[in-house]
Amino acid sequence: MEYYNSMDQDFYSLDNFNKGFNYSNSELIQYGNLGISTNESPQLGGNYASQLSVGGRLRMGDKHIELNLGGYGNEPGGAATYGKDARQAIREISRSNKVDYTVHAPSNIKGVNGYDKTGYNISQEKEIEKVIKNTIDFAADIGSTGAIVLHSGEDSRDINQIPNIQGKIDGKIPYKFSNYFSDKQTVVDQIVDRRTGSFIGENGIKADDKIILPKFQTDENGNILQFTKNGLEKSNIKTFDLESRDEKGNLVHKKIPIIDFTDVANFSNLSNASIESSNGDMQTQELTYFDVENFTNQYNKINNKNHSATEIFAKLKYKDLINNSIDDYNYRYNEYNNLRKRWDRLMEAKKAYESFYPNLDEKNKKVFDILQNDFREVLPSQSRNPIEFIEEKEKEIRYQMNKIKDEAIKSKDNFENYREILNNIDSANKYAREKSIDKYAEFGLYTMQRSKNSEYMENKENPNHLFIALENIFPEWGYGSHPDELIDLVEKSRNKMVEKITKKEVEKYDDKGNKIVEQNPFYNPNITKKDAEKLSQEYIKATLDFQHLGMWKKYFEPIYLEDKKRLETKEETENRFNQWYLEQIKKLEKSKVIGHLHVADSMDESHQHLPAGQGVLPIKTAINYLIKNGYDTSKYKIVSEGFQEDSSFGQSRGITTAYRYFNPNASVTDVTSLNFMNVSSSVENYSGSSNYVTPNYMAPLKKESWSGWFDFRGL
């Protein structure tokens, strides 16, 4: 529980929080720079070349339209359902009406790495790749000159694993996020075999999973003591003093060896370590997953590594399986050797008896008695044919030896398998993110290629080009939805794109987990690293969805007001959340990753699509800040997704309401009821219906102001 004094300066004042967010009542967003999204409607018998989508928006005079495609999974439609004529028709509508497009890939694609509940699915990855490349092709063919929006959500990380889960807003006001809906059984990560992408084990790593380590004896400087030929001496292995809480909330200290646990060979460095004992019993310590995560973060920071907590946790967990396999193999080996000795002795007896027993008579009974006594450990005590008995025992021991041999081989195979697994274990979340980063880099390269090679990109009035724009999606959808994650995803995808352009060779893992070097198919010797960095920034950007950012309110903890001796009210929590919200806007702007904006509002933390200004999010303040700090709305569009009230107030509601919200002094009217202006002669009809020239939706009320609002191009 956080404690704070509500009388502290700037605690609840948005105005004082950051003066850079202040805005005037002048026109914030010009009419042509605020667009609207429209969904594909194949289930209604239409497509983007029909009045059901583009046509419907043009009736309202919209000058920028974002086309939301379907076509993935069971969703109908999609880029591949539009032929050459349909694409040309959409392109001609754009030219004749001076309308431009952005394109949204199917919204039910969550990330691009092909992961499902069982692990990496190459078929799913290839299907996603095909659909996204089709989307890029479609955008290029219709003359789009802007964002191709792709939903992020690259893994299944828990809310409690987000970066900066707690901190201070503007260095003053505390905040903390918590997943009230998770418990100790929540899976925080899966273990994956990086050779195949398959999950290891069915249940993954849960929040309450633990591993056991010995309590190592250390000197006053934290160095582990070890046994040598000279006795107990200081080793060169230091320990990390980890503070943790037990189940009762008590503070406990745990000492973890500072070694690279990702390398199985390093486990042997602890074989001679001295372990604390009490009453002759070895002392142990429990480590939770989050203890290991804390240790891993510190280890990576000290050693400039990028290990995952899951990788280390899993290797510490699975090392016991290796030890068990070795112990089991040794037991079987000894048991087999004992049976082998008995077998050899039995064969000696058989050979001896076969040499005389068939011809044995009463006169040789004395010899028989001597031999029987000599082999008494393998012969029957009762009087019977010894050769028959030996042959029975021979079958019995052969069966036992074969069985133990098979079990020993199985133990050895398990050992080899576990060792291979340990050498190739990785975090599923880390593995998924790396695959996504690689894919986004390739999509950036593909978009660059299509932009440069498309004849429809040549537009002197609008020199912009296509780019992919990764969108922050719902918090529960995983990595990429938090602002820090979105920045990380875009920046690493850009770095990977630079690497693909500038490196002749690339590293990858072979089927045995070994790193190998291959020729890089994307290498271009004519592009310098500096130019590649510039290209990566141009072709890989982020879509900031204001409403999705507001959904983090669901996990935003209320705090205790020390001066008032109470929890803050809902309104106070909301106000403090809005300050956190605006701080994220500052961070995103500073990172220079934003290239596209989705505008929708909400009344609470759920997923909603209210028009901007009809909810409680500080969207105007945020957009004003972005524009004042260089966000070019003529180049990088702002798209209204506030279609939630369209059915009640008419299709123009989302755009006109948003425009009035951003420009309070503007006189605008909804023009949903205006008749379509049919200019069939302006362009050749490719879609089977007339092309359109329409008034803009923000139609001035003064009659003399209508000049220039119509484009009768071609008449």
Side-chain angles (χ1 to χ4, degrees), residues 550-611:
M551 292 174 69
W552 282 98
K553 191 188 302 182
K554 180 178 181 180
Y555 305 101
F556 194 76
E557 280 194 355
I559 61 176
Y560 188 82
L561 302 177
E562 185 70 27
D563 58 328
K564 297 182 179 179
K565 306 298 181 186
R566 64 170 176 81
L567 279 174
E568 62 185 354
T569 64
K570 178 183 176 182
E571 291 73 20
E572 289 168 336
T573 302
E574 193 164 275
N575 201 311
R576 190 167 52 87
F577 173 80
N578 285 348
Q579 295 186 49
W580 175 86
Y581 184 104
L582 293 173
E583 188 169 78
Q584 305 314 300
I585 300 298
K586 288 176 63 179
K587 185 190 302 180
L588 285 159
E589 188 284 321
K590 186 177 180 180
S591 71
K592 303 302 178 186
V593 298
I594 303 175
H596 195 57
L597 299 176
H598 279 176
V599 176
D601 214 333
S602 61
M603 290 300 296
D604 60 19
E605 68 276 4
S606 62
H607 185 215
Q608 299 175 13
H609 283 276
L610 292 174

Side-chain angles (χ1 to χ4, degrees), residues 488-515:
D488 183 64
L489 194 57
V490 171
E491 289 180 344
K492 287 181 177 175
S493 298
R494 288 173 171 178
N495 293 339
K496 181 60 71 171
M497 180 172 167
V498 172
E499 183 181 306
K500 286 180 179 292
I501 293 173
T502 59
K503 286 192 174 183
K504 289 183 179 181
E505 298 175 328
V506 290
E507 287 185 341
K508 63 174 292 187
Y509 289 101
D510 64 14
D511 293 340
K512 295 183 178 180
N514 302 312
K515 278 189 176 181

